[in-house]
Amino acid sequence: MTQRRKAVALISGGLDSLLAARVVQEHGVHVEGINFYTGFCVEGHTHAIRKKDKAKPKRNNSLWVAEQLGIKLHIVDIIEEYKQVLLNPQHGYGANLNPCLDCKIFMVKKAHEWILENGFDFIITGEVIGQRPMSQRKDTMPVIARDSGANDLLLRPLCAKNLPQTLPEREGWVDREGLYDFSGRTRKPQMALAERFGFEDYAQPAGGCCFLTDAQYSVKLADLWQARDDKNYEIDDIMLLKVGRHVRPSPTFKVIISREEGEGNFMQGYRNQYVSLRTTSHPGPLALIDGEVSEQNLVLAARILARYSKGKSMDSVEVEIREMDTNTRCINVAPLDPHEIKPEWIL
Ligand code: SF4
């Protein structure tokens, strides 16, 4: 009896990885999924707390993909290890702070270590030549295979026919004829294949699988590094960059102001780590202070917050300042005039 081969598929939650894993399942291979959590993933709570995202499914798409495929999913936290990838990418950044090539190399390397530890035979990714400008190019795809150490144990079923044969093909674990030759940025072949497999409700690709491809997010991250004079971050930092309006009136501090109720609720969970402000005389958002909490900075933060409250046209607004130890006091401030909020303050 021939041995049933085992492969692990990198599952991002998007359509390509869903299809790649499904294609290999058709070849009789036992497939399991692996999802790496960097902290920068787009999905999850941001869709749940923003009104503008309310039409998007509030689900973890990688788990949804695993359910669609009927496979086991391994979710691996790589937050700490990933810092070195983001802070010192050997191949540099893409259009924003996305180190896509180093990121892909790192994830395939981790997947390679995983298959060696778990007795699996090869790795599947949903990469397509020409699909992404940095990591999915004809010249960079061999770099990922080589620098990750996976070499010809890395199979890309959606574009395998455009690439040299891999070990799973040479050994007949999968039939090369049953693989694909997709290339370029068009999504039509993937959509046709999804239809063939009966997948309808898959996540729409949004230009990248993480916040690092987002220009506004990258500006906020670069500002964080500059303000602290340290290119480092903790998970709370990168979570808070995903929510609120970030206003930096001085290099010493910034104010994070919730833009809607869901963000305010989410930010309340951080009130034991940051001094927080809320307007008490008028309805308004919640603000957190990140940086130096001097009296001068607090008054300026309160005036900025008052500008975003219902009392913005009043002469005076009462603002409650809450210390991290829950001590509170109130001050009365005049809301800043719109022209006093300089455009360069808004990150
Ligand atoms: S978009 Fe983000 S997760 Fe995807 S390859 Fe680039 S850096 Fe990595």
Side-chain angles (χ1 to χ4, degrees):
M1 199 174 84
T2 52
Q3 185 189 351
R4 191 176 183 212
R5 294 293 167 175
K6 296 197 280 187
V8 74
L10 265 66
I11 299 291
S12 66
L15 177 60
D16 292 353
S17 53
L18 166 69
L19 293 174
R22 182 71 186 83
V23 166
V24 174
Q25 281 183 312
E26 278 211 320
H27 293 245
V29 173
H30 170 83
V31 176
E32 294 189 14
I34 193 163
N35 174 261
F36 292 114
Y37 184 71
T38 65
F40 294 100
C41 309
V42 170
E43 292 172 6
H45 72 277
T46 35
H47 287 175
I49 63 180
R50 293 301 311 274
K51 266 199 218 131
K52 73 180 174 62
D53 291 333
K54 73 172 180 238
K56 291 183 182 159
K58 315 280 184 290
R59 67 184 183 207
N60 177 319
N61 275 317
S62 55
L63 283 169
W64 179 82
V65 163
E67 181 227 308
Q68 294 296 300
L69 294 168
I71 64 172
K72 187 170 176 182
L73 182 72
H74 307 268
I75 298 177
V76 180
D77 176 339
I78 55 166
I79 293 169
E80 277 308 308
E81 287 176 275
Y82 192 75
K83 286 181 181 174
Q84 278 317 308
V85 178
L86 175 58
L87 301 179
N88 298 302
Q90 301 300 303
H91 299 279
Y93 297 106
N96 296 298
L97 282 176
N98 49 310
C100 289
L101 186 48
D102 289 83
C103 175
K104 266 281 148 63
I105 292 169
F106 179 71
M107 288 187 183
V108 176
K109 179 170 170 277
K110 296 294 293 177
H112 185 228
E113 289 167 6
W114 191 92
I115 64 167
L116 296 178
E117 282 165 19
N118 291 279
F120 276 53
D121 299 296
F122 64 102
I123 302 157
I124 305 161
T125 68
E127 292 164 289
V128 169
I129 292 176
Q131 182 89 197
R132 298 241 185 262
M134 192 173 196
S135 56
Q136 298 187 40
R137 294 198 319 246
K138 186 140 191 139
D139 58 325
T140 54
M141 288 178 73
V143 175
I144 296 169
R146 184 193 66 212
D147 291 1
S148 64
N151 295 306
D152 66 356
L153 295 180
L154 175 58
L155 178 71
R156 286 105 162 193
L158 301 187
C159 64
K161 284 181 168 172
N162 298 326
L163 294 167
Q165 284 207 0
T166 57
L167 189 77
E169 294 161 272
R170 288 200 306 277
E171 292 292 322
W173 303 341
V174 296
D175 177 6
R176 188 170 169 88
E177 284 312 303
L179 303 176
Y180 293 86
D181 61 354
F182 299 170
S183 71
R185 295 182 71 85
T186 174
R187 307 288 300 162
K188 283 187 184 150
Q190 284 94 322
M191 286 154 84
L193 190 56
E195 196 178 338
R196 207 198 103 205
F197 285 133
F199 296 130
E200 289 170 4
D201 187 23
Y202 47 82
Q204 294 298 330
C209 21
C210 76
F211 268 104
L212 296 170
T213 59
D214 183 278
Q216 217 184 342
Y217 187 91
S218 297
V219 166
K220 288 188 272 189
L221 182 57
D223 167 79
L224 182 92
W225 288 340
Q226 191 182 14
R228 295 186 184 171
D229 199 17
D230 179 15
K231 256 183 100 182
N232 204 345
Y233 58 87
E234 299 303 328
I235 185 71
D236 284 339
D237 297 324
I238 61 179
M239 285 294 151
L240 279 176
L241 294 183
K242 297 178 186 177
V243 295
R245 182 181 280 110
H246 290 235
V247 184
R248 180 174 294 287
S250 119
T252 60
F253 81 110
K254 77 172 171 181
V255 194
I256 308 169
I257 303 169
S258 61
R259 293 168 292 189
E260 56 192 73
E261 191 183 352
E263 287 193 336
N265 292 340
F266 178 77
M267 284 165 54
Q268 285 209 30
Y270 287 86
R271 290 200 303 166
N272 288 345
Q273 289 162 259
Y274 296 86
V275 170
S276 60
L277 274 61
R278 70 182 180 94
T279 53
T280 44
S281 55
H282 301 82
L286 179 74
L288 303 176
I289 309 285
D290 182 18
E292 188 193 315
V293 194
S294 65
E295 196 58 28
Q296 192 187 6
N297 288 354
L298 279 175
V299 170
L300 181 53
R303 293 190 67 203
I304 295 169
L305 177 67
R307 162 57 37 200
Y308 289 102
S309 78
K310 295 275 190 218
K312 64 185 176 190
S313 52
M314 299 291 158
D315 291 336
S316 178
V317 169
E318 187 182 70
V319 175
E320 181 192 79
I321 300 169
R322 182 186 187 270
E323 308 286 345
M324 288 167 280
D325 60 8
T326 73
N327 279 339
T328 60
R329 65 190 166 98
C330 288
I331 59 172
N332 285 289
V333 294
L336 276 192
D337 279 338
H339 72 268
E340 291 179 286
I341 299 185
K342 297 182 184 146
E344 62 268 26
W345 290 2
I346 313 289
L347 301 175

